[in-house]
Amino acid sequence: MLLSLPIWAQQDSLRTDSVEISLLTCQPHDEVYSLYGHTAIRYHDLRKGGLDISFNYGIFDFHKPFFALRFVFGLTDYELGAYPYRLFLEEYRRFGCMVTEQVLNLTDEEKAVLQQALAENMKEENRVYRYNYFYHNCTTKARDIIEQCIQGKVVYEPREDYTPTYREMVHEMTHNNPWSAFGNDLLLGVLADRKTDQRQQEFLPYNLMYDFDHAQIYQNGEYRPLVKERRIAVPAGIQMVKQGFPLTPLACMIILLSVGLILFLIEWKKRCAFVVWDVLLMLITGIIGIILFLMLFSQHPTVNINLQFILLNPLPWFFLWQVIKDKKTRYWHITFVLCLLFLIGSLFQHYAEGIWSLALCLLLQSILHIFCKRR
């Protein structure tokens, strides 16, 4: 049940000394959209009958046309929603996810400013924003609006021993979902392998929660903790994990490589090439290549410079008919060179798990066609 702006705006005259404002951090669950956790803001008037609302910058309509495609291209719009806190908790209790509440140590004036800022964001013309997973998501939006309403400066305790890349942080959150990790690694480019600073790391809810716990507000020569109290709003429960595809990407790639090695030995001995195998490799490479080609036009900065594109590109589609007809073609010479460049590229970018198996199969077929196959 979403709350409308008028209901919220009518509370402007409430005394803020009776109000608590908290940051809510939610444990991930098995749904793809929640693998990284979630962040929201709680507004709680402690007086009898007072409002208790959760403000959530993560509202989206998964059923909108081309949602997945728009998400991949960085063209997804999310919006701010407000609904009763008890409903927010019930959702995560149902999933078995722990919810941690950090009560913010704000002055009455800062609470009033934040209340007005949330009311302004709830207006129809303001509530929708262009979502970006790393740079502009439900967690960074909550952080930014809180910081903007604090009169002093929020000083975060440095984490000098923690400088992960975006890819490493994604791996940390998807270690139980190998196919999600594989898909992310396939799409993420070289910029995802750069070390991040503390502010960039706060796109993850748990990183922001940690930083808030250790942050201070500096004002008029004095410091005060940003977080006044930390509570467990929903204890961790039992999460039901959906059974996905039984084989991991690495297992599938090992099978592909095993088949490729066996076929290569047979082909080498007979001094011939199996067209069906050539075509299968070209189709796999070409399909992935189209996806990576489209990523060149994505609004996500971390996907459009992807060195896996050296080998995984649409090139096979231009030579597919020649290979099917077993005509003389330069495709295998080109692929041989691309495989070597692909190897060099691995010095600068982490590739998707097991993708080397596909690369090695292509390299073996290139060697076969160039040096062994009879004409």
Side-chain angles (χ1 to χ4, degrees):
M1 181 180 69
L2 293 180
L3 299 180
S4 62
L5 176 63
I7 295 177
W8 168 246
Q10 290 169 7
Q11 310 302 318
D12 289 351
S13 61
L14 290 178
R15 290 167 41 198
T16 53
D17 59 358
S18 67
V19 169
E20 283 185 346
I21 297 180
S22 308
L23 185 78
L24 303 174
T25 303
C26 308
Q27 183 184 18
H29 58 77
D30 198 43
E31 297 293 339
V32 173
Y33 62 83
S34 188
L35 290 177
Y36 309 94
H38 186 52
T39 299
I41 297 173
R42 181 189 186 188
Y43 177 96
H44 185 200
D45 180 9
L46 300 173
R47 295 184 302 177
K48 185 176 180 179
L51 287 177
D52 195 0
I53 309 172
S54 62
F55 287 87
N56 179 5
Y57 282 96
I59 302 297
F60 64 92
D61 184 358
F62 191 77
H63 299 290
K64 280 188 175 181
F66 308 109
F67 177 86
L69 191 62
R70 290 175 60 84
F71 185 90
V72 168
F73 279 96
L75 301 174
T76 310
D77 289 330
Y78 277 40
E79 64 181 89
L80 172 64
Y83 45 93
Y85 177 63
R86 60 179 177 79
L87 296 182
F88 181 86
L89 293 189
E90 184 57 37
E91 178 182 2
Y92 284 92
R93 187 176 289 112
R94 178 165 50 87
F95 281 114
C97 300
M98 182 171 67
V99 178
T100 303
E101 178 182 9
Q102 292 167 294
V103 182
L104 302 179
N105 189 21
L106 304 180
T107 65
D108 290 346
E109 185 175 351
E110 288 167 343
K111 294 175 188 177
V113 173
L114 182 52
Q115 179 194 37
Q116 291 298 315
L118 289 169
E120 185 68 21
N121 273 199
M122 278 293 295
K123 291 181 179 180
E124 193 66 32
E125 64 270 25
N126 297 332
R127 62 195 306 170
V128 176
Y129 69 98
R130 179 53 51 88
Y131 177 90
N132 184 286
Y133 174 62
F134 287 139
Y135 306 108
H136 206 217
N137 65 11
C138 56
T139 300
T140 63
K141 289 285 287 185
R143 175 200 64 192
D144 293 346
I145 197 170
I146 290 171
E147 287 182 346
Q148 292 164 11
C149 296
I150 292 175
Q151 294 178 336
K153 179 182 179 182
V154 179
V155 180
Y156 294 102
E157 183 179 297
R159 300 177 65 181
E160 297 177 358
D161 59 337
Y162 185 70
T163 57
T165 64
Y166 280 121
R167 194 186 305 274
E168 288 169 343
M169 288 185 283
V170 168
H171 284 178
E172 183 181 353
M173 304 307 296
T174 58
H175 65 277
N176 290 326
N177 299 82
W179 282 102
S180 293
F182 178 81
N184 287 327
D185 279 338
L186 200 59
L187 297 182
L188 291 175
V190 67
L191 295 181
D193 291 305
R194 292 182 177 179
K195 296 296 184 181
T196 56
D197 59 33
Q198 188 171 22
R199 196 157 188 84
Q200 291 171 326
Q201 295 155 15
E202 289 174 350
F203 83 96
L204 279 181
Y206 271 94
N207 286 343
L208 182 63
M209 180 177 70
Y210 178 92
D211 287 346
F212 266 39
D213 268 340
H214 298 82
Q216 302 277 330
I217 299 174
Y218 178 74
Q219 184 180 12
N220 299 327
E222 296 182 351
Y223 288 91
R224 71 180 191 270
L226 174 59
V227 174
K228 180 170 59 175
E229 182 182 351
R230 177 170 171 168
R231 309 165 182 159
I232 301 300
V234 175
I238 299 175
Q239 294 197 25
M240 302 300 293
V241 179
K242 297 179 181 178
Q243 294 298 321
F245 189 69
L247 295 178
T248 65
L250 182 59
C252 292
M253 288 299 183
I254 290 175
I255 293 172
L256 180 74
L257 179 59
S258 299
V259 173
L261 286 172
I262 293 172
L263 292 178
F264 174 76
L265 292 175
I266 296 173
E267 290 172 319
W268 187 273
K269 184 176 181 179
K270 293 186 175 182
R271 298 181 65 80
C272 69
F274 299 141
V275 175
V276 173
W277 179 240
D278 287 342
V279 170
L280 178 61
L281 291 177
M282 294 178 73
L283 288 176
I284 294 174
T285 306
I287 291 171
I288 298 175
I290 290 176
I291 296 172
L292 297 190
F293 173 76
L294 293 176
M295 289 302 97
L296 298 176
F297 307 98
S298 173
Q299 297 298 310
H300 292 295
T302 51
V303 303
N304 46 27
I305 305 177
N306 190 340
L307 299 184
Q308 293 173 110
F309 187 70
I310 294 173
L311 186 64
L312 307 175
N313 55 62
L315 183 66
W317 297 106
F318 296 96
F319 294 91
L320 187 59
W321 185 247
Q322 294 178 4
V323 172
I324 291 175
K325 289 297 184 179
D326 199 24
K327 295 181 179 180
K328 187 175 182 179
T329 174
R330 302 296 298 176
Y331 172 73
W332 298 109
H333 293 80
I334 297 172
T335 300
F336 180 80
V337 174
L338 293 179
C339 285
L340 298 180
L341 294 176
F342 186 76
L343 171 63
I344 297 173
S346 67
L347 300 174
F348 305 96
Q349 179 183 323
H350 178 98
Y351 291 159
E353 184 180 48
I355 206 69
W356 272 108
S357 295
L358 176 59
L360 184 54
C361 287
L362 287 167
L363 179 62
L364 290 175
Q365 290 304 109
S366 299
I367 293 173
L368 178 77
H369 280 273
I370 295 171
F371 300 108
C372 180
K373 182 185 173 185
R374 288 196 189 99
R375 286 292 178 188

